[in-house]
C-alpha cells in the first residue's frame, strides 16, 4: 500500500483490475458507558496499488462484548458483510462475467483474530465461536480472498476507533 498522507486524495484506478481492501478495527470498552467502538475503511484498489476510499464507518458495537478479541471480531464480521454487498453491486454495475470476480481483502491489527479465523481451534467464549465461524465460512467460500494481519501503525481504521493523534508519529 502507498503511504497515507495527511490529505485525502483519489487516484485514477483501473476498475477492471480492482479489488476491495478493508481495514477493520475496534476499541474495547472505550466509550463512556463501557461500550466498545468499531470502525472500518474500505478502499477500491487496482493492481498498480492505486486506491480510492469507497466506504467507512465508526459506531458503537451493537452487542456488549467481554474482550478485545470479541470487539475486533464483530468489527471484522460487519466489514466483511459490507464488502460482500459492495462486491456484488460492483460486479453487477461492471457487468462482469461469472468467472470474473472482485477479490475482497480484510486487514486487521489483531493477530489473535487473524490466527483464530485461519485455525480450526475453537475459542473459549461460546458466542464468539459463532462470529469466528462466520469469518471462517466467508474465507472458505471465497467471499473473503485474504484475511490478514497488519501492524497497528499501518492500520488505516485506527482513527475511527481511537481518540487523539497516533502515538507513533
Amino acid at each position: 500500500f502507498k503511504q497515507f498522507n495527511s490529505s485525502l486524495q483519489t487516484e485514477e484506478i483501473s476498475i477492471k483490475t480492482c479489488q476491495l481492501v478493508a481495514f477493520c478495527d475496534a476499541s474495547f470498552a472505550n466509550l463512556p458507558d463501557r461500550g466498545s467502538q468499531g470502525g472500518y475503511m474500505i478502499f477500491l484498489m487496482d493492481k498498480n496499488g492505486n486506491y480510492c476510499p469507497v466506504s467507512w464507518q465508526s459506531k458503537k458495537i451493537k452487542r456488549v462484548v467481554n474482550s478485545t478479541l470479541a470487539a475486533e471480531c464483530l468489527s471484522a464480521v460487519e466489514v466483511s458483510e459490507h464488502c460482500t454487498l459492495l462486491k456484488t453491486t460492483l460486479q453487477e454495475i461492471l457487468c462482469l462475467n461469472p468467472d470474473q470476480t472482485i477479490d475482497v481483502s480484510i486487514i486487521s491489527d489483531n493477530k489473535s483474530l487473524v490466527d483464530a479465523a485461519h485455525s480450526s481451534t475453537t475459542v473459549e467464549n461460546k458466542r464468539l465461536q459463532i462470529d469466528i465461524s462466520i469469518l471462517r465460512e466467508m474465507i472458505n467460500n471465497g467471499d473473503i480472498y485474504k484475511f490478514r494481519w497488519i501492524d497497528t501503525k499501518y492500520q488505516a481504521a485506527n482513527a475511527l476507533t481511537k481518540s487523539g493523534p497516533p502515538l507513533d508519529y
Side-chain angles (χ1 to χ4, degrees):
F1 293 99
K2 293 182 180 177
Q3 181 69 29
F4 288 98
N5 58 26
S6 61
S7 65
L8 183 64
Q9 53 188 331
T10 60
E11 310 225 4
E12 185 176 324
I13 62 171
S14 172
I15 200 77
K16 293 291 185 181
T17 65
C18 66
Q19 64 174 312
L20 290 169
V21 178
F23 293 82
C24 61
D25 194 37
S27 288
F28 172 62
N30 68 325
L31 300 176
D33 64 353
R34 305 305 298 155
S36 300
Q37 187 79 14
Y40 62 77
M41 294 184 76
I42 304 172
F43 296 88
L44 197 57
M45 188 175 86
D46 69 12
K47 67 179 180 180
N48 298 320
N50 298 318
Y51 58 90
C52 177
V54 292
S55 182
W56 55 90
Q57 174 179 286
S58 178
K59 69 178 186 179
K60 181 178 178 178
I61 293 176
K62 294 178 185 176
R63 194 174 83 222
V64 175
V65 294
N66 61 359
S67 68
T68 301
L69 179 61
E72 295 272 358
C73 185
L74 288 176
S75 182
V77 168
E78 185 159 354
V79 75
S80 298
E81 291 172 344
H82 191 77
C83 281
T84 300
L85 174 64
L86 281 174
K87 171 183 173 174
T88 303
T89 303
L90 283 170
Q91 289 178 171
E92 288 177 12
I93 289 170
L94 298 173
C95 300
L96 296 180
N97 297 327
D99 60 325
Q100 294 175 299
T101 186
I102 296 173
D103 291 333
V104 172
S105 295
I106 307 296
I107 301 172
S108 172
D109 63 356
N110 188 294
K111 184 117 175 77
S112 298
L113 174 62
V114 174
D115 291 345
H118 291 290
S119 168
S120 59
T121 306
T122 59
V123 292
E124 288 184 33
N125 182 314
K126 300 292 185 199
R127 180 63 176 112
L128 185 55
Q129 286 178 8
I130 295 169
D131 298 314
I132 296 282
S133 293
I134 291 170
L135 289 174
R136 287 178 182 159
E137 184 175 285
M138 293 181 86
I139 292 166
N140 291 334
N141 291 344
D143 297 324
I144 299 174
Y145 175 67
K146 288 183 184 174
F147 185 67
R148 67 182 187 97
W149 175 82
I150 192 169
D151 191 289
T152 300
K153 66 182 175 182
Y154 301 114
Q155 174 56 276
N158 259 354
L160 301 175
T161 60
K162 315 287 189 291
S163 63
L167 298 177
D168 59 349
Y169 289 115

